[in-house]
Amino acid sequence: MGKEKPGFLTPKAIANRIKAKGLQKLRWYCQMCQKQCRDENGFKCHLTSESHQRQLLLFAENPDKHIDGFSQEFEDEYLELLRRRFGTKRVNANIVYQEYIAFREHVHMNSTQWETLTDFVKYLGKEGKCIVDYTEKGWFITYIDRDPETIRRQEAVKAKEKMDADDDEKISKFIEKQIERAKESATPKEEVQFTDLKREDEGEKIAFNLGAAKKLDPVIKKPDITASTSTNPLVATEKKLEKTKHSSTSKPEKRKAKTALDEIMEVEEMKKEKINRKDYWLQPGIVVKVIHKKLGEKYYKKKAVVKEVKDLFTGIIKMLDNGDKLKVDQTHVETVIPGIGKSVMVVNGAYRGEEATLDAIDEKNFCCTVTLKHGPLTGRVLTKIQYEDISKLHTES
């Protein structure tokens, strides 16, 4: 009878699992059998085993088919890691390779058509799948994303930046006009020269109009004595001068105060936008749509609710139709825009994390208008909010 294997919780079994955990030496790995040996003796025993001989016979029948299969699998997994982990950023090719081989069941490069990482990087650049360049620190690559959804989002971002630039230009022109108006109103006017009172006719007398007494106080009564302005030009000139000064100083001051307040609000909005604008946007409780086919055809274009967010860029979602739970990257999903009047959450930008109500949708410019629902800013209307900055809130039925 054969020797019985040690139990699962025996010291020998635990020691074997500890030894097998993590990466082992590449020279003791068999790609055809996907078998990792711990030492040279074990690898020699595997090479003489019957299962390995059968795999060699299958490989000998069509070696090009197996090498091409391993090469394609290696290329797909490497590019997927590059796209998901670094996006379209320029990164050292060796850094991506070290993260790739950290997975124990990865496809080894010695089973592909490329002998070195340099050959593989040159192949990516020749095929137009990545932008490659060589420096003193090694080969650097930049992933080229040709996904239609990504291209559409990039165009929407460019359109938003153009709109923001136009708005900034309009605001700067408005401020310049206000400054010019303030300078014009501050220019000194012609000084009024005061002259002595002279009579044109020596025989003419100055008349005073002693009108009826007005009640200024219930006890004390004083007569109202007013001089006729027609006979006293000094009084008329002083009154006109007071009216001119009042009209030239009061109105521009109100405009300046209003413009300064607008400028302060604009600066505060820009500060909040810079602080709260992040690369990650997943939030618990929002509804998203799966846009990646690799998660399965039955999940493609289906909606789900985010239950938990891990590592900022990764989330646990629950499908709304069948209740399945998936672990996805934020690039595998996109935001969902509900109907008018529904509740949404601002997932990025100045008002990140705020709940709001969807008021209007501008399909031409890929933006919408919302009204904040809670907090000290309740009732504030936000315009030109991009689709990717808000998402539908899930309500438990």
Side-chain angles (χ1 to χ4, degrees), residues 375-386:
L377 301 177
T378 302
R380 173 169 290 186
V381 179
L382 309 180
T383 59
K384 297 181 181 179
I385 304 297
Q386 297 298 311

Side-chain angles (χ1 to χ4, degrees), residues 228-251:
S228 176
T229 57
S230 60
T231 59
N232 194 346
L234 180 60
V235 177
T237 306
E238 289 180 352
K239 288 185 177 181
K240 289 181 180 179
L241 182 60
E242 289 179 359
K243 290 182 180 180
T244 305
K245 289 182 178 180
H246 180 71
S247 61
S248 63
T249 57
S250 61
K251 291 182 180 178

Side-chain angles (χ1 to χ4, degrees), residues 113-158:
Q113 62 183 352
W114 305 289
E115 295 181 359
T116 61
L117 181 62
T118 301
D119 295 336
F120 176 64
V121 171
K122 290 180 179 178
Y123 161 80
L124 294 178
K126 184 179 180 181
E127 294 295 324
K129 298 180 179 180
C130 293
I131 300 174
V132 301
D133 60 301
Y134 181 75
T135 64
E136 296 179 355
K137 296 182 179 181
W139 286 93
F140 284 79
I141 58 176
T142 305
Y143 180 72
I144 302 175
D145 197 345
R146 293 188 173 87
D147 187 15
E149 293 290 336
T150 305
I151 295 174
R152 183 185 66 81
R153 287 176 176 267
Q154 290 176 352
E155 291 177 352
V157 171
K158 290 181 180 179

Side-chain angles (χ1 to χ4, degrees), residues 75-87:
E75 178 185 345
D76 293 342
E77 293 179 355
Y78 186 92
L79 290 178
E80 175 64 20
L81 176 62
L82 175 63
R83 183 192 66 81
R84 179 172 53 83
R85 179 69 175 80
F86 300 98

Side-chain angles (χ1 to χ4, degrees), residues 183-383:
K183 288 181 179 178
E184 291 176 359
S185 62
T187 53
K189 296 185 178 181
E190 296 181 357
E191 295 183 358
V192 180
Q193 295 181 356
F194 300 98
T195 59
D196 296 334
L197 178 62
K198 294 181 180 180
R199 292 191 226 172
E200 294 181 359
D201 189 359
E202 292 294 334
E204 186 180 358
K205 297 181 180 180
I206 299 175
F208 292 92
N209 183 15
L210 301 178
K214 294 184 179 179
K215 292 184 179 181
L216 300 177
D217 191 86
V219 179
I220 302 172
K221 295 182 180 181
K222 293 182 180 180
D224 184 13
I225 302 175
T226 57
S228 176
T229 57
S230 60
T231 59
N232 194 346
L234 180 60
V235 177
T237 306
E238 289 180 352
K239 288 185 177 181
K240 289 181 180 179
L241 182 60
E242 289 179 359
K243 290 182 180 180
T244 305
K245 289 182 178 180
H246 180 71
S247 61
S248 63
T249 57
S250 61
K251 291 182 180 178
E253 287 180 356
K254 290 183 179 178
R255 291 179 182 176
K256 287 182 180 179
K258 185 176 181 181
T259 305
L261 179 60
D262 291 340
E263 291 178 0
I264 293 172
M265 292 178 65
E266 182 183 355
V267 171
E268 292 298 327
E269 291 286 337
M270 293 174 64
K271 286 182 180 179
K272 291 175 65 177
E273 177 71 19
K274 289 181 180 180
I275 294 173
N276 293 329
R277 176 67 59 179
K278 307 292 184 182
D279 294 334
Y280 51 89
W281 55 268
L282 285 178
Q283 297 282 350
I286 64 173
V287 178
V288 295
K289 182 188 289 185
V290 178
I291 59 172
H292 208 289
K293 291 185 178 180
K294 285 191 175 182
L295 296 177
E297 290 292 338
K298 65 177 182 177
Y299 302 125
Y300 184 61
K301 294 294 184 181
K302 298 297 179 64
K303 296 180 181 178
V305 59
V306 179
K307 290 294 185 182
E308 185 181 355
V309 178
K310 295 183 177 181
D311 302 329
L312 301 179
F313 296 91
T314 307
I316 306 298
I317 63 173
K318 181 180 180 181
M319 306 305 297
L320 295 178
D321 53 354
N322 54 20
D324 293 349
K325 287 189 176 181
L326 304 174
K327 183 178 181 181
V328 298
D329 189 85
Q330 71 173 14
T331 57
H332 296 161
V333 295
E334 67 176 2
T335 57
V336 174
I337 306 300
I340 302 296
K342 299 294 184 179
S343 297
V344 296
M345 175 179 284
V346 182
V347 297
N348 212 344
Y351 299 93
R352 181 188 185 95
E354 296 287 345
E355 296 184 13
T357 303
L358 184 62
D359 295 334
I361 299 176
D362 185 358
E363 296 181 357
K364 183 178 179 181
N365 297 316
F366 303 101
C367 60
C368 51
T369 302
V370 300
T371 303
L372 299 181
K373 296 171 60 177
H374 304 296
L377 301 177
T378 302
R380 173 169 290 186
V381 179
L382 309 180
T383 59

